Amino acid sequence: MSGPQIGDAIPAVKLLDADGATIDVAAMKGAPLVVYFYPKADTPGCTIEAQDFTRLAPEFAHLNAQVLAVSRDAPAKLCKFRDKYGLTVRLASDEDGAVCEAFGTWVEKQNYGRSYMGIERSTFLFGADGKLAKEWRKVRVKGHAEAVLEAAKAL
């Protein structure tokens, strides 16, 4: 597993948001940044996670922290997901998987004895200086957004 290590700069990668606008992730430094990766839009765990981050969005905004949610879903699917659940967290598309590779979240997974490649639910918290302050791997959804918020408050 690779990806940024504590103290590393935000990877210089670009994504498309749900509306097709380009996001230059490295240019987002200057304020705390949460980048979380989730396997698939509009699935139970991913929906709960996005709803939790949306519910806490005002508290992240109070810290001037931005939250970016990344999956390999196409922008059109992300737009439907956002609109269906009234999500305010910014959803980003990594269709070609380059950003997942840069963050080390594209991993071999197992389900019922079958091996396949997929996104490991992971979260990265960057400080205003653009350096990785904390990471969470193999995330369990329940209580996770709250834990990230507490870590952001401690920056």
Side-chain angles (χ1 to χ4, degrees):
M1 182 183 319
S2 59
Q5 305 298 311
I6 300 298
D8 286 354
I10 299 170
V13 294
K14 293 185 180 178
L15 296 156
L16 292 178
D17 72 8
D19 296 315
T22 299
I23 303 167
D24 182 347
V25 179
M28 297 176 82
K29 74 179 192 179
L33 172 63
V34 175
V35 181
Y36 81 84
F37 290 81
Y38 63 99
K40 193 170 179 75
D42 209 3
T43 57
C46 299
T47 299
I48 291 168
E49 187 174 25
Q51 289 172 324
D52 286 349
F53 275 104
T54 291
R55 179 176 43 79
L56 296 174
E59 293 184 59
F60 280 103
H62 181 72
L63 301 172
N64 293 321
Q66 300 176 73
V67 178
L68 186 62
V70 181
S71 75
R72 291 196 57 181
D73 296 303
K77 182 169 183 179
L78 296 178
C79 187
K80 287 178 186 173
F81 179 47
R82 177 194 64 201
D83 294 348
K84 179 177 180 179
Y85 294 100
L87 303 173
T88 59
V89 65
R90 192 168 187 194
L91 304 176
S93 172
D94 179 32
E95 281 188 280
D96 68 4
V99 177
C100 288
E101 289 287 343
F103 277 83
T105 61
W106 189 248
V107 300
E108 185 174 359
K109 299 170 92 175
Q110 294 220 331
N111 192 19
Y112 299 109
R114 182 178 71 92
S115 294
Y116 63 97
M117 296 301 288
I119 292 177
E120 177 182 68
R121 193 180 305 275
S122 304
T123 302
F124 301 85
L125 174 62
F126 294 90
D129 61 358
K131 306 284 186 194
L132 182 62
K134 188 162 176 66
E135 72 175 339
W136 294 261
R137 298 285 187 156
K138 297 183 181 178
V139 166
R140 298 285 179 230
V141 172
K142 185 174 182 170
H144 178 62
E146 291 84 357
V148 175
L149 178 62
E150 289 308 310
K153 288 177 181 177
L155 288 179

